[in-house]
Amino acid sequence: MTILVNSNTRVLVQGITGREGAFHTKAMKEYGTKIVAGVTPGKGGSTVEGVPVYDSVGEAVRKHPEINASIIFVPARFAADAVYEAIDAGIELIVVITEGIPVHETMKFVKYAKMNGVTIIGPNCPGVISPAECKLGIMPGHVFSKGRVGIISRSGTLTYEIAYAMTRAGIGQSTSIGIGGDPIPGTSFIEALELFRDDVDTDAVVLIGEIGGDMEERAAKYVVETGYEKPVVAYVAGRTAPPGKRMGHAGAIISMGVGDAQSKINAFREANIEVAELPSQIPEILRKVLKNK
Amino acid sequence: MKLYEYEAKEIFLEHGIPVPEFRVVSTPEEALKAAEEIKGRVVVKAQVLVAGRGKAGGVKLADTPEEAYRYAKQMLGSEIKGEKVNKVMVTKAVDIARELYLSIIIDRSMGQPVILSSPEGGVDIEELARTRPERILKIPVDPLIGLREYSAREAARFLELGEQSKQAQDIVSRLYEVFLKYDCELAEINPLALSTDGKLYAVDAKIIVDDNALYRQQELSGDYLRDLSYYEAEAKKLNFSYVELDGNIGILCNGAGLTMATMDTVYVMGGKPANFLDIGGGARAELVEKALSLLLQHPKTEIIFINILGGITRCDEVARGIVEALKKNPVKKKLVVRLKGTNEEEGRKILEENGIYVFEFMDEAARKAVELGAKT
């Protein structure tokens, strides 16, 4: 079954004619993702990698009613509008790759999406992949392999590092979700954990957190309070990060006494979630918790 | 980006939030003149961005213009917690009856703006939140609707004011306007002072603007490099994220999470990272060359650990950038390189031809970097 994306996902690419959009359309197609249409205002009628381009999302959806997911590569200052356009066209899953969207915009479209029952992944994220079925994102497909462990992460390359270590150890993934590095993600750790709870193809979940905010602490609390049935394993990046400095991601900052790595590690441990000290330790911890299950 | 107090107060004034009369000066003579014009007791305040300037001697009460001159002279050119004081504010001293707290922040867990209101201002609000959270009222604001009048009224009422409650409500509304207009992560008045003659004033002002919104905050962002060190500013100009730390092992990676994890791995193995440098995704050779050059030139960096996991970043581009940087900077610094992912074979070949060993795994490379770091 997997979550969010699978072989039935039919994709619209917003910003398909841009450098990133075109490059990743090709890469996703090569992976086997079913991309049915693209949108760039003013470029309707052209094609990119054999994919027809339309001027608006509404038009694309009318011509291709099977579209059920969109991926957005639109530059930051136009990205919020692209999200509203996709929500208003009735697309139920929207992945926002774009980095640098003002947080005042993000909090509005995230709220609007929730009101409309739409799932947003990102912004500032690598996307979602269900290995061997669908890659809706910019991640290198070959580091992932099909299996039964879910990944939820605030980071891109660190996820690839951990997925690669898992793949090498023979532990495949059901779905890997990069929720993004911004302060307000469309889908939080808790919401992603909820999706994995109900997925019959997922046996355990890896949470890859980092400094900033309190999403990890809330996820730990959620695991305890709901008696989460599947084992959860965690890693938290940024224990050597100084307070008050933004560590690459807009959301990776310890501010006003909130968001340091130790608080997150402690919260996980109190919730009986084993925390890896090094990313490379994730596979052996997974092996242990899966055996005990 | 943090604004200086005087910048935030100028914004407050423009939006009708009452602020005690002030001048911003950069010489003691100007401070003397400002104090004479303002009349009566004044406060001299160092304009710095670091927190805690009061305890560090950056805020002084002056009874006479001569005293203001002396304090300005002491502060100007001095350093407060490592930050040089280039300007001081001379502002009218308010006879304070009570200190209150008011702010609007973006609450990350709720994903929306929240008004924070407390009848106990002038103190460290984080400390108050820990010890007596019931003394802080949190009112969420729906970003799609905006500030409701009743929310502003409630925030004002919690300040335990009498006849000034209406004015406080007006200040809440105006602060929200500022918060929206300037893409604030934080707009704070601490303290909001009630004077002995019954008036409300923003005695201090703090605004943090979302860096992602600087493109549409041109009037504020002209000098966006100002709170950064030389190397941080250079990195920012080249568009990669860079943060200074106090160790000797330079870290250069692609992606924020991997960069942090690499720093942490070095630390767990007993080494000390000198920096955080994230070249981002898809970096070309030229950018890698510039990033590595920055670390090669940095005096504190003795070892440089490059950890690349190529997705959209291509290992051959990275390898070419490394070779180029070494050619341009004839500095003798030890390099530890780990390359994995897209075009790995080509990257490895380029580096090996230039006598640079390439590690396959992050842990073994980190161990090597730590070992070399301990020797220097």
Side-chain angles (χ1 to χ4, degrees), chain B residues 315-347:
Chain B
C315 291
D316 56 323
E317 288 282 336
V318 173
R320 267 189 279 275
I322 293 173
V323 171
E324 203 51 37
L326 291 175
K327 264 190 213 147
K328 282 194 184 163
N329 298 276
V331 204
K332 287 271 166 282
K333 286 187 181 176
K334 291 205 172 71
L335 242 57
V336 177
V337 183
R338 183 266 184 145
L339 283 184
K340 192 76 211 162
T342 312
N343 294 3
E344 176 185 332
E345 282 314 311
E346 283 170 76

Side-chain angles (χ1 to χ4, degrees), chain B residues 18-275:
Chain B
V19 169
E21 186 182 358
F22 72 91
R23 308 267 192 286
V24 184
V25 301
S26 43
T27 65
E29 292 73 25
E30 288 170 347
L32 178 84
K33 187 161 162 276
E36 283 170 352
E37 284 169 9
I38 290 170
K39 296 188 180 74
R41 293 202 302 171
V42 297
V43 184
V44 181
K45 302 172 92 175
Q47 296 300 291
V48 287
L49 299 168
V50 288
R53 66 178 168 179
K55 282 178 192 153
V59 179
K60 297 278 186 192
L61 181 67
D63 287 320
T64 63
E66 290 70 31
E67 217 178 334
Y69 174 92
R70 277 203 305 279
Y71 287 135
K73 197 170 177 185
Q74 274 170 23
M75 286 179 203
L76 286 162
S78 73
E79 278 194 1
I80 291 182
K81 294 184 164 182
E83 189 181 334
K84 196 173 171 211
V85 182
N86 293 316
K87 288 183 174 137
V88 296
M89 173 187 286
V90 178
T91 178
K92 194 167 185 58
V94 177
D95 287 321
I96 297 175
R98 280 184 57 209
E99 293 187 315
L100 319 165
Y101 178 92
L102 206 54
S103 74
I104 300 166
I105 58 160
I106 290 178
D107 186 292
R108 294 175 60 160
S109 44
M110 295 168 99
Q112 61 190 59
V114 169
I115 306 169
L116 299 179
S117 163
S118 172
E120 295 181 36
V123 295
D124 179 2
I125 196 72
E126 294 157 32
E127 181 60 28
L128 187 64
R130 264 192 303 276
T131 52
R132 287 187 301 147
E134 73 283 359
R135 294 298 279 167
I136 302 172
L137 180 68
K138 289 176 90 171
I139 304 174
V141 178
D142 186 324
L144 293 175
I145 294 170
L147 180 68
R148 296 281 197 192
E149 204 178 321
Y150 83 86
S151 301
R153 194 162 57 232
E154 210 140 290
R157 205 170 53 185
F158 198 71
L159 298 173
E160 297 170 1
L161 291 162
E163 53 182 303
Q164 298 87 4
S165 207
K166 195 77 195 159
Q167 197 203 345
Q169 182 185 332
D170 184 55
I171 292 173
V172 175
S173 304
R174 288 169 191 271
L175 191 63
Y176 195 77
E177 255 174 60
V178 167
F179 173 80
L180 284 188
K181 185 170 167 190
Y182 294 95
D183 275 295
C184 298
E185 290 175 357
L186 168 79
E188 182 185 69
I189 308 175
N190 187 24
L192 172 67
L194 175 66
S195 66
T196 46
D197 56 353
K199 294 198 176 89
L200 289 171
Y201 292 103
V203 165
D204 201 353
K206 192 170 170 188
I207 286 179
I208 302 176
V209 179
D210 174 14
D211 288 346
N212 281 353
L214 290 180
Y215 74 83
R216 61 184 186 190
Q217 297 294 346
Q218 301 290 347
E219 60 174 303
L220 302 177
S221 62
D223 191 18
Y224 73 102
L225 300 173
R226 64 195 186 188
D227 42 347
L228 303 174
S229 76
Y230 168 77
Y231 287 95
E232 284 171 336
E234 287 302 303
K236 193 107 184 179
K237 284 182 212 158
L238 295 167
N239 221 356
F240 39 71
S241 309
Y242 176 84
V243 175
E244 305 231 327
L245 303 163
D246 49 13
N248 64 340
I249 302 174
I251 308 284
L252 189 159
C253 307
N254 61 326
L258 184 64
T259 313
M260 279 191 274
T262 304
M263 281 164 41
D264 294 353
T265 300
V266 162
Y267 172 77
V268 167
M269 291 180 173
K272 285 200 172 138
N275 68 276

